[in-house]
Amino acid sequence: MNQAYAVAAVTAVVLATVLIGALGLRISRTTSDFYVASRTVRPGLNAAAISGEYLSAASFLGIAGLVLVQGPAMLWYPVGYTAGYLVLLVLVAAPLRRSGAYTLSDFAEARLESPQVRRLASLFVVGVGWLYLLPQLQGAGLTLEILTGAPDWVGGLLVALVVTGTVAAGGMRSITFVQAFQYWLKLTALLVPVLFLLAAWYGDGAPRARFDAPAVLRGHTVVEVADTVRVGLDAPLTATVTGTVDAVPYERRSVTLAPGIHQIHGGTTLALDSGTPLPERVASGTDPLGWSQPLAGGRDGHQLYATYGLILATFLGTMGLPHVAVRFYTSPHGRAARRTTLVVLGLVGSFYLLPPLYGALGRIYAPELALTGSADAAVLVLPDRILGGLLGDLLGALLAGGAFAAFLSTASGLTMSVAGVLTQDVLPSRGVRHFRLATLLATAVPLAVGVFASKVPVADAVGLAFAVSASSFCPLLVLGIWWRRLTPPGAAAGLLLGGGSALAAVMATRAGLAPEGWPHTLMAWPAVWSVPLGFLSMVLVSLATPRRVPPGTPALLARLHLPEEITGTVPVPAQEAHR
């Protein structure tokens, strides 16, 4: 890929983001503009903005990478991401808008009349937000490293600086225009190149991607293994090795590896001839690439369990994502929130038709990425692999710009939501000045953690955030909106047991503490047991504390479920009164 074209594309996206954000700043005249865009964003614009921030690095790069490595089983990711909005439409969208809340913490306090539950909800908002922000910054680092050779922390720092400046300067009004622009840019960036790539693949007579057999290299390939991995061979493999294999060092030596399991140490390079079947990576509990392995394994029931875990996490986790929830507070009323969600379903569904195509083409033209741990880069390298020349450079630059737009748009929404909670519940004042300080804090923490945290496929990392969201905020929102007997002790118990256990499992998995086998599978896909645990604990503790039902519950539930024409204007949250 021509670095000059790629850098120019990324620079153009960054400048466009800053300029559009500046436009939002010019028309952001009130505090209400800053926090919720004065609740005047119409469904079309709002849907494009929601889609822009929702389609993150996991969508733009991660799904293609997972399909390349593990095949069609990974299509549950885009199905779940899209279907999550259907659940949101049916159960949550309009009532959440009518609540008049600005954040999920506001909703928790308004529904349960409990500052303690509000603080607990705030902890989970910040935790989910940072867990989601981390792969965005790491993905940006990977992209810029591939494009320019820069250290992997540079891309994350660039995204953090642009996002912090845009959000702090113009707030919600600015990022609404920015994210709507970035959705259409991302869709164009994937759609245009894939048309050329499919035409070239058809004309090349290349075989179809076969996921039930090892991929075959189409040319002489040098594979550099970034981290220590284990590979399984069904037949002898001859390669020129520079590095360490099975604890034996080699220096540009031709080695024939016998069938079986072999360990290739990080930094080792393998030179493989054309037509060589690519060694299959054998995942383990400490291998980040193996977090999704049970979904493709099919042994001892792991596959079925992991599939259910993925479905529950993505179907139910969307409604509790802080950057998704805050968007509905910008709609004029509940009906507009519902219409917005319908449009989002169409926009998101259209987008998700494209990444699996890149994954399938990557299996044919860049299969070695599955071994190197850089499968997320498949989208970026395919134009050069398939087309080459000036056309490949230009299409690669377009994809690079789209990838950076994905990082910027999602990071903007997450930063806005996390900073809002930090402003209200951590900092001593709720004014705009303190919100800008909270914006800096919201990006600085995941940026610092990303320097030391292990790199994992971005779709896997985002899936973990969905699992925590589904286990904590899904029970809180569904029961808070539809069950009048929910009490503050019940809500707190559900957040701690459901969300807390999911978060503990996620962190243990990230730290490599989960033992192999069923313990690893249970902890890598906690939604199967943590979501029911959250619901059950909320219901049982609420039933055991019937006298703690807030006195204002009937009036609030009426406001959530009746049209605004009947209940009157929704009160403006307290933070909008501060300047």
Side-chain angles (χ1 to χ4, degrees):
M1 182 185 298
N2 189 299
Q3 290 187 359
Y5 291 148
V7 171
V10 170
T11 302
V13 170
V14 171
L15 290 177
T17 298
V18 173
L19 291 175
I20 296 173
L23 171 64
L25 174 61
R26 292 187 62 185
I27 61 177
S28 183
R29 307 181 189 281
T30 67
T31 306
S32 181
D33 277 337
F34 192 87
Y35 282 111
V36 289
S38 292
R39 303 184 188 270
T40 58
V41 183
R42 297 300 174 184
L45 176 60
N46 210 13
I50 290 174
S51 301
E53 71 177 357
Y54 186 62
L55 297 171
S56 63
S59 300
F60 199 93
L61 300 178
I63 290 174
L66 288 180
V67 170
L68 185 158
V69 175
Q70 301 186 50
M74 295 295 102
L75 293 179
W76 275 115
Y77 273 97
V79 169
Y81 291 155
T82 306
Y85 265 99
L86 183 60
V87 179
L88 181 69
L89 169 67
V90 173
L91 297 178
V92 172
L96 190 61
R97 167 60 187 90
R98 296 188 188 113
S99 70
Y102 166 61
T103 64
L104 291 170
S105 304
D106 288 337
F107 172 82
E109 183 177 29
R111 172 63 178 85
L112 298 163
E113 303 176 17
S114 170
Q116 291 77 19
V117 175
R118 177 197 177 91
R119 286 192 288 270
L120 187 58
S122 297
L123 289 176
F124 278 96
V125 168
V126 174
V128 171
W130 281 343
L131 196 62
Y132 209 133
L133 259 172
L134 181 59
Q136 309 308 313
L137 301 179
Q138 289 185 337
L142 170 67
T143 300
L144 209 62
E145 182 181 16
I146 291 171
L147 298 178
T148 67
D152 57 6
W153 56 267
V154 174
L157 178 62
L158 177 60
V159 167
L161 290 175
V162 174
V163 166
T164 300
T166 303
V167 174
M172 184 63 77
R173 181 70 77 178
S174 286
I175 67 171
T176 295
F177 294 111
V178 169
Q179 290 169 339
F181 158 75
Q182 287 168 339
Y183 167 77
W184 294 110
L185 174 61
K186 286 183 284 189
L187 182 65
T188 303
L190 281 183
L191 179 60
V192 173
V194 83
L195 296 177
F196 286 92
L197 298 180
L198 289 174
W201 164 75
Y202 182 78
D204 186 33
R208 294 183 179 180
R210 290 194 59 191
F211 295 96
D212 58 348
V216 176
L217 298 174
R218 291 173 56 82
H220 180 78
T221 304
V222 177
V223 178
E224 182 176 356
V225 179
D227 301 309
T228 299
V229 298
R230 295 189 305 164
V231 298
L233 301 178
D234 295 326
L237 174 73
T238 300
T240 301
V241 180
T242 301
T244 304
V245 178
D246 296 331
V248 179
Y250 300 97
E251 182 63 34
R252 300 188 65 180
R253 179 179 169 185
S254 179
V255 178
T256 299
L257 302 178
I261 304 297
H262 299 272
Q263 186 177 59
I264 303 176
H265 291 250
T268 300
T269 60
L270 306 175
L272 303 170
D273 292 332
S274 175
T276 302
L278 186 74
E280 292 283 346
R281 187 166 180 167
V282 178
S284 65
T286 58
D287 182 359
L289 192 63
W291 286 11
S292 295
Q293 186 66 22
L295 196 59
R299 58 188 185 279
D300 301 326
H302 289 225
Q303 179 180 8
L304 183 62
Y305 172 86
T307 300
Y308 285 136
L310 174 60
I311 290 172
L312 278 175
T314 52
F315 278 39
L316 302 180
T318 301
M319 69 176 69
L321 296 177
H323 64 303
V324 170
V326 74
R327 266 275 156 216
F328 288 97
Y329 308 134
T330 65
S331 296
H333 41 68
R335 291 192 310 278
R338 278 204 179 98
R339 288 197 295 270
T340 296
T341 310
L342 279 173
V343 179
V344 169
L345 278 169
L347 296 179
V348 169
S350 301
F351 180 92
Y352 279 132
L353 295 174
L354 303 175
L357 297 176
Y358 284 89
L361 291 173
R363 183 75 175 181
I364 300 170
Y365 291 97
E368 76 281 359
L369 296 177
L371 183 60
T372 64
S374 300
D376 290 335
V379 170
L380 301 173
V381 304
L382 280 175
D384 184 59
R385 294 288 180 91
I386 300 177
L387 299 170
L390 179 61
L391 180 59
D393 290 337
L394 292 176
L395 294 178
L398 179 60
L399 284 166
F404 235 76
F407 306 134
L408 291 171
S409 58
T410 301
S412 296
L414 289 165
T415 301
M416 185 79 196
S417 57
V418 172
V421 169
L422 292 176
T423 304
Q424 296 179 67
D425 299 312
V426 177
L427 298 181
S429 173
R430 298 182 178 182
V432 171
R433 180 179 302 174
H434 285 81
F435 174 87
R436 288 170 173 152
L437 176 61
T439 301
L440 180 62
L441 180 62
T443 55
V445 171
L447 182 64
V449 172
V451 175
F452 304 100
S454 61
K455 305 297 188 296
V456 293
V458 289
D460 270 356
V462 168
L464 300 178
F466 271 77
V468 176
S469 172
S471 305
S472 53
F473 290 120
C474 174
L476 178 66
L477 288 170
V478 171
L479 295 178
I481 290 172
W482 297 100
W483 193 47
R484 64 177 60 247
R485 299 176 67 180
L486 182 66
T487 65
L495 287 172
L496 287 173
L497 292 177
S501 61
L503 184 60
V506 163
M507 300 312 294
T509 306
R510 290 218 63 164
L513 301 179
E516 294 190 38
W518 269 108
H520 174 264
T521 304
L522 291 170
M523 297 177 73
W525 304 98
V528 173
W529 51 267
S530 58
V531 171
L533 180 62
F535 273 101
L536 188 62
S537 54
M538 279 194 189
V539 170
L540 292 180
V541 175
S542 294
L543 292 176
T545 55
R547 295 185 179 181
R548 298 292 303 276
V549 175
T553 296
L556 180 62
L557 289 181
R559 192 171 80 191
L560 296 182
H561 294 287
L562 294 176
E564 286 84 352
E565 293 83 354
I566 298 176
T567 59
T569 303
V570 177
V572 176
Q575 75 274 7
E576 291 188 31
H578 295 270
R579 181 75 179 174

